[in-house]
């Protein structure tokens, strides 16, 4: 996978960090301090298409929603997550219990063209 | 989108930067809450007051030492007095690795510690735990570098370097006490660890998402004793 940067407009992974303090969630999420909500962006010309690895996930749901919103049906190859890992959270639930949970496929590690 | 043009998934790039940020933040909130099956964020938790917690822990400890001294005796009534030296609060700090950047031969791990570490806490010892899923049975060299911020600039400098011979799969430990102690005074104490690993090795960040193998640091710490002033 390629990380975005410079002038290239090819498919890459854009890093995006959601700081829980910034959104006022630091009082109920104990760890981590934020969420690396990286996403995939960039062009996928035909010669870059064909990298497999797209499974059902939150990200595909987002992708499908955007696709549905698009007026055109015929599309080129798309820049999508090819490697993901879970987000581990330690937080207070509604009853102030401390809960540890892992949400699968929440962090995009690399991107590629479908 | 017509052939050769932007994929619809890249539509976000066309948004204004401020709007895009708002959309992503809203999406992050929505997805986390949905995955936790929460209709809304829980209201602010009411953790027990620090003082009450310390009192409870002291009572527990005092009760234990009392029971150990006179087995078979049940106590009811006032809490026994603490013995000298028992008033120091010792505890463990756990930090799991986060935001790793890696190449085929090098992995960078960050361990964040609470701000409490920088002021009121004295670190007695600290240990780094790394799990290796080695494909080979014979020993392989692994270089572990502890990095610290360079006071002269934005870069990191090497505080210490250790070379280990890792035998097959399993956990390895490394004493990082001096490095964790040196974080004292930093506004956001963070330990950075760089690993040089054999090329065909799996990163210590498990690819199969086995969280029980996640790298971590354990630090034994205790509250600093207040300075005493004696008048003569």
């Amino acid at each position: 996978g390629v990380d975005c940067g410079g002038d290239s407009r090819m498919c890459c992974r854009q890093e995006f960090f959601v700081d829980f303090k910034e959104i006022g969630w630091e009082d109920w999420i104990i760890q981590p301090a934020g969420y690396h909500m990286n996403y995939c962006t960039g062009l996928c010309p035909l010669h870059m298409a064909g990298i497999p690895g797209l499974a059902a996930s939150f990200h595909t749901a987002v992708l499908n929603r955007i696709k549905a919103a698009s007026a055109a049906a015929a599309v080129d190859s798309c820049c999508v997550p090819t490697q993901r890992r879970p987000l581990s959270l330690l937080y207070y639930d509604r009853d102030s219990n401390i809960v540890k949970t892992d949400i699968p496929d929440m962090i995009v590690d690399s991107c590629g063209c479908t | 989108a017509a052939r050769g043009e932007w994929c619809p998934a890249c539509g976000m790039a066309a948004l204004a930067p401020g709007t895009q940020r708002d959309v992503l933040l809203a999406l992050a909130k929505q997805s986390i809450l949905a995955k936790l099956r929460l209709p809304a964020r829980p209201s602010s938790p009411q953790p027990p007051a620090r003082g009450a917690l310390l009192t409870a822990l002291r009572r527990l400890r005092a009760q234990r030492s009392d029971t150990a001294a006179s087995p078979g005796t049940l106590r009811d009534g006032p809490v026994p007095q603490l013995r000298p030296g028992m008033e120091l609060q010792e505890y463990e700090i756990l930090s799991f690795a986060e935001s790793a950047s890696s190449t085929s031969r090098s992995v960078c791990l960050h361990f964040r510690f609470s701000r409490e570490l920088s002021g009121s806490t004295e670190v007695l010892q600290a240990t780094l735990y790394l799990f290796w899923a080695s494909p080979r049975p014979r020993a392989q060299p692994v270089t572990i570098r502890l990095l610290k911020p360079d006071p002269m600039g934005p870069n990191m400098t090497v505080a210490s370097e250790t070379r280990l011979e890792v035998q097959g799969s399993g956990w390895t430990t490394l004493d990082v006490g001096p490095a964790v102690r040196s974080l004292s005074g930093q506004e956001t104490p963070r330990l950075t660890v760089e690993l040089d690993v054999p090329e065909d090795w799996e990163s210590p960040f498990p690819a199969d998402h086995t969280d029980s193998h996640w790298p971590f640091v354990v630090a034994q710490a205790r509250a600093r004793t207040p300075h005493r002033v004696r008048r003569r």
Side-chain angles (χ1 to χ4, degrees):
Chain A
V2 179
D3 284 343
C4 298
D7 297 330
S8 172
R9 296 171 67 199
M10 292 300 124
C11 178
C12 59
R13 183 186 70 148
Q14 180 66 55
E15 293 194 343
F16 183 78
F17 184 68
V18 179
D19 189 339
F20 290 145
K21 203 167 185 176
E22 194 182 326
I23 60 173
W25 277 16
E26 85 280 12
D27 60 342
W28 71 278
I29 296 183
I30 302 164
Q31 277 288 337
Y35 167 35
H36 288 272
M37 196 180 122
N38 309 328
Y39 58 92
C40 302
T41 184
L43 290 170
C44 274
L46 282 176
H47 68 275
M48 284 179 69
I51 298 171
L54 181 64
S57 71
F58 154 67
H59 298 281
T60 49
V62 173
L63 177 61
N64 288 336
R65 194 177 291 183
I66 296 168
K67 271 184 182 171
S70 167
V75 292
D76 262 352
S77 163
C78 279
C79 179
V80 294
T82 52
Q83 234 182 344
R84 295 172 302 270
R85 63 187 156 93
L87 170 69
S88 295
L89 282 178
L90 193 65
Y91 66 97
Y92 290 103
D93 71 2
R94 277 173 291 186
D95 303 317
S96 289
N97 298 312
I98 294 177
V99 179
K100 195 256 180 188
T101 192
D102 301 317
I103 312 177
D105 297 336
M106 283 290 276
I107 301 173
V108 174
D109 272 340
S110 64
C111 299
C113 294
T114 53
Chain B
R3 280 198 168 277
E5 289 188 3
W6 285 81
C7 164
C10 314
M12 282 192 288
L15 294 171
T19 315
Q20 182 176 329
R21 187 171 173 75
D22 291 345
V23 168
L24 289 170
L25 288 177
L27 203 58
K29 287 181 182 178
Q30 186 191 332
S31 68
I32 290 173
L33 290 176
K35 295 284 182 179
L36 297 179
R37 295 164 199 254
L38 293 171
R41 54 147 295 168
S43 55
S44 292
Q46 304 280 329
R50 191 181 165 82
L53 200 61
L54 282 174
T55 307
L57 286 168
R58 282 181 186 144
R59 285 183 181 198
L60 193 67
R61 185 178 282 187
Q63 215 160 11
R64 272 194 197 145
S65 64
D66 191 57
T67 312
S70 53
T73 310
L74 282 175
R75 280 193 72 98
D76 195 9
V79 175
Q81 290 296 307
L82 294 177
R83 290 180 302 184
M86 288 290 289
E87 67 275 10
L88 287 179
Q89 194 64 48
E90 286 189 16
Y91 50 93
E92 277 188 337
I93 300 169
L94 281 172
S95 176
F96 289 90
E98 59 183 62
S99 65
S101 58
S102 60
T103 63
S104 61
R105 301 224 37 189
S106 156
V107 181
C108 198
L109 313 174
H110 300 298
F111 299 91
R112 203 189 293 250
F113 296 90
S114 70
R115 199 173 291 180
E116 199 175 20
L117 187 70
S118 60
S120 56
T121 308
E122 181 185 2
V123 174
L124 304 174
Q125 66 178 71
T127 309
L128 168 68
Y129 285 77
L130 294 167
F131 185 86
W132 302 101
S134 162
R136 294 179 187 167
R138 67 185 173 83
Q140 291 285 307
V142 173
T143 306
I144 303 176
R145 276 185 287 275
L146 304 180
L147 307 180
K148 64 177 182 182
D150 185 352
M152 305 300 287
N155 297 331
M156 306 290 279
T157 56
V158 177
S160 71
E161 185 170 312
T162 310
R163 202 173 156 86
L164 295 177
E165 292 289 324
V166 177
Q167 292 275 6
S169 297
W171 288 95
T172 53
T173 59
L174 183 71
D175 177 19
V176 291
V180 173
R181 271 191 285 275
S182 74
L183 301 177
S184 173
Q186 288 184 19
E187 195 174 338
T188 49
R190 195 172 75 156
L191 176 68
T192 303
V193 179
E194 194 178 64
L195 312 169
D196 284 347
V197 295
E199 202 150 348
D200 56 347
W201 272 33
E202 198 175 295
S203 156
F205 272 100
D208 58 354
H209 302 163
T210 315
D211 285 332
S212 54
H213 292 163
W214 208 257
F216 65 98
V217 168
V218 183
Q220 265 88 39
R222 75 171 167 215
R224 277 185 200 281
T225 48
H227 293 291
R228 291 176 190 277
V229 178
R230 180 177 293 175
R231 182 182 290 172
R232 258 199 328 196

